[in-house]
Amino acid sequence: MSAIALPQADRKRWIAVLVARTRRKAVLSPFFSKSDGLLVIDPCSHAREFRQNPERTTEATRELILASGIGRLVCGFIAKPDRDTLSARGIDIRIGSCARSIDALIRDFENLPSA
């Protein structure tokens, strides 16, 4: 996956997905802080950037999301304190099904339930 450096304002339209990775693919992680990382996707160009979550703590995961500059997030689960913190920073958080592909989650972001 390629990394693309864009100004923070341009990244607000990007969608981030907390993912679990296998050797062959990334899937939506059912866990907030235990995710392998953050997959950041431009829904228009489909450019992708993966950011690892080596610490796998709640605080590190929140900081990873905030540092990415995104304005929209899909996760499998998020606790109320994390949701409140990220929402207060202007992030639109949606809950997705781990059974759906990453591409389907991105495509249907607006139809996913709000966290």
Side-chain angles (χ1 to χ4, degrees):
M1 291 180 209
S2 61
I4 297 179
L6 289 176
Q8 288 293 91
D10 292 339
R11 293 184 70 96
K12 289 293 180 188
R13 66 183 168 90
W14 287 44
I15 301 170
V17 181
L18 285 171
V19 297
R21 292 185 72 178
T22 67
R23 290 181 153 239
R24 296 171 47 204
K25 65 179 183 176
V27 296
L28 180 64
S29 175
F31 308 108
F32 182 79
S33 61
K34 300 301 181 192
S35 65
D36 291 328
L38 190 68
L39 184 59
V40 183
I41 302 169
D42 180 342
C44 297
S45 72
H46 304 286
R48 293 171 181 238
E49 173 184 303
F50 178 75
R51 295 176 177 220
Q52 288 186 333
N53 185 20
E55 292 182 43
R56 296 182 183 201
T57 65
T58 300
E59 296 79 20
T61 302
R62 274 196 318 256
E63 289 305 314
L64 181 68
I65 294 165
L66 292 170
S68 73
I70 55 93
R72 301 182 287 175
L73 173 69
V74 179
C75 51
F77 169 81
I78 186 167
K80 185 179 182 330
D82 299 315
R83 182 194 69 208
D84 292 348
T85 299
L86 295 174
S87 292
R89 299 287 296 268
I91 298 175
D92 181 0
I93 306 165
R94 305 294 175 105
I95 300 297
S97 167
C98 297
R100 298 188 69 197
S101 71
I102 299 294
D103 290 334
L105 294 168
I106 297 300
R107 184 176 51 250
D108 297 335
F109 180 85
E110 298 300 328
N111 297 319
L112 296 175
S114 294

